[in-house]
Amino acid sequence: LGGSGTVVRSLALGAAATARPQGPPAYRAELSDDGRVLARSVETGGKRRVQVLDTRVGRAGRVVFEPPAMPCPRTDPTRITVWDLRTRRVHATVAVDAEPDGSLAVDGLALDTHARTLLVYRSMERPAVEVWDVRREKRVRTVRSVRPDGVVTWSSQGVGLDVRSDGTRLVTQEGLVADLRAGRMEPRVLGEDLITTAAFAPDGTRLAVGDVLGRVTLWDGAARARLGVLDGTTSDPTTDATGAVTALAY
């Protein structure tokens, strides 16, 4: 308007503004790799709960499972429960001990494809990934970063992790790359800015990394060779809006 380069757009909301709310709002949500299962954290009856939805049913999915709350005293180790969604029973319970400084914090979790290995990430002075055997409920090794500093958490709601399909590589939202087979983890510059999310291709041959300015950087499956950058929202010279990448999927 008036030669300023400002653009005015009209948006038709349709029934979105008048439709009934589809249940309580979610504080956090995660989709399964195939998009068929959604896990979300909601508040019902004044309590925070986790709900599991089948996304193939209805417009907003249908709640098919709601694990019971399992509180534990602060004096106990942090307990991580692995659920079998097919039987809706507890598959395993892992008790994670406190750090030497007394911290019980767990900043990120990831399961391998077959739920045989649980990865527990702790963003401490020297970040570490604990590798747990789910069946034996036992920690088998700990992989620590080669440097005690140099990582930045973009989100205050935990650190996102993604594991390659063969279970040998891990990338964190803080820009750490772990070779779990070699037992080595190091900070890497994976994006053009602070990274927000990462995703390996199903066959493990590619890695995509999103950042706060909407760009996606593509790497080979070992995160050694950069293949290119997708500009995303930053490629539009007529707008100042550059939304961060919040999710990636192949």
Side-chain angles (χ1 to χ4, degrees), residues 23 39 66 190 193 199 210:
E66 190 168 316
L190 295 175
D193 209 292

Side-chain angles (χ1 to χ4, degrees), residues 179-204:
D179 184 333
L180 301 176
R181 183 175 294 168
R184 180 181 177 85
M185 181 166 62
E186 60 183 354
R188 295 277 305 281
V189 179
L190 295 175
E192 299 290 296
D193 209 292
L194 286 178
I195 69 173
T196 54
T197 187
F200 282 102
D203 61 1

Side-chain angles (χ1 to χ4, degrees), residues 70-80 93-99 102-106 122:
M70 304 179 72
C72 61
R74 291 291 298 173
T75 55
D76 285 356
T78 298
R79 299 189 182 277
I80 301 168
T93 301
V94 173
V96 180
D97 295 327
E99 287 298 305
S103 172
L104 296 172
V106 170
R122 299 192 186 205

Side-chain angles (χ1 to χ4, degrees), residues 43-74:
E43 185 173 318
T44 57
K47 295 182 179 180
R48 191 72 64 88
R49 306 186 69 85
V50 174
Q51 295 178 338
V52 179
L53 292 83
D54 185 340
T55 61
R56 296 168 294 178
V57 180
R59 294 177 57 189
R62 178 170 61 89
V63 177
V64 294
F65 181 46
E66 190 168 316
M70 304 179 72
C72 61
R74 291 291 298 173

Side-chain angles (χ1 to χ4, degrees), residues 131-182:
V131 182
W132 289 77
D133 185 315
V134 174
R135 182 178 60 83
R136 294 187 294 159
E137 301 181 2
K138 181 180 180 180
R139 182 174 57 191
V140 294
R141 65 183 179 277
T142 300
V143 180
R144 297 189 181 276
S145 176
V146 297
R147 295 212 302 264
D149 54 6
V151 296
V152 179
T153 303
W154 180 77
S155 172
S156 63
Q157 298 182 341
V159 178
L161 311 177
D162 200 65
V163 186
R164 202 167 67 180
S165 55
D166 62 2
T168 62
R169 291 271 174 174
L170 171 76
V171 173
T172 80
Q173 188 182 1
E174 294 179 325
L176 289 167
V177 178
D179 184 333
L180 301 176
R181 183 175 294 168

